[in-house]
Amino acid sequence: PDDYYACIDANRLPVFRGVQLTADDRLRRAVITQLICHFVLDFRAVETAYDIDFAEYFALECEDLADMANDGLLTLDTYGIRVRPAGRLLIRNICMVFDHYLRQQTRQRFSKVI
């Protein structure tokens, strides 16, 4: 309790627990948010905002998205991603492609999208 009031008195947020996001985390959050909210992602906008080459940075993800494009869930070209009507129902699956932490998991998850 004393630490809490010391932070308040020092005009600082009294946060002692949490997760510090990396630059990669912030980039991936922006990509996922854009897709899940608008069903469209403009590569050039991401490249400008985060100073990356989208195709290079997300090469593995683009390979996975190509399979989804072949299934008719989205359109993928050099300009961006457009989620098709069939893909809107599976938008979480599409966004999961960009979740770096899911790629690192090697054990079975208890909850699945479907």
Side-chain angles (χ1 to χ4, degrees), residues 8-110:
I8 296 295
D9 291 340
N11 208 19
R12 293 189 331 237
L13 288 176
V15 177
F16 296 98
R17 293 180 9 177
V19 176
Q20 187 169 1
L21 299 178
T22 66
D24 181 65
D25 291 333
R26 288 189 293 276
L27 166 59
R28 290 174 183 278
R29 177 181 60 190
V31 167
I32 291 169
T33 300
Q34 181 66 28
L35 279 171
I36 207 161
C37 292
H38 303 286
F39 303 112
V40 174
L41 183 68
D42 176 10
F43 292 165
R44 180 163 291 169
V46 175
E47 290 173 335
T48 301
Y50 292 91
D51 194 29
I52 63 162
D53 178 293
F54 194 93
E56 181 180 314
Y57 194 94
F58 290 112
L60 291 175
E61 291 80 358
C62 286
E63 287 178 22
D64 291 343
L65 291 172
D67 291 337
M68 293 181 174
N70 290 335
D71 291 337
L73 301 178
L74 56 91
T75 302
L76 175 66
D77 58 30
T78 57
Y79 302 106
I81 301 166
R82 287 180 194 7
V83 179
R84 300 181 66 172
R88 290 182 180 204
L89 295 174
L90 298 171
I91 190 62
R92 287 183 58 203
N93 294 66
I94 294 168
C95 291
M96 287 168 64
V97 168
F98 292 99
D99 189 328
H100 178 71
Y101 298 102
L102 284 178
R103 276 192 189 279
Q104 292 179 338
Q105 287 183 349
T106 56
R107 58 189 171 101
Q108 179 72 23
R109 293 177 42 134
F110 288 102

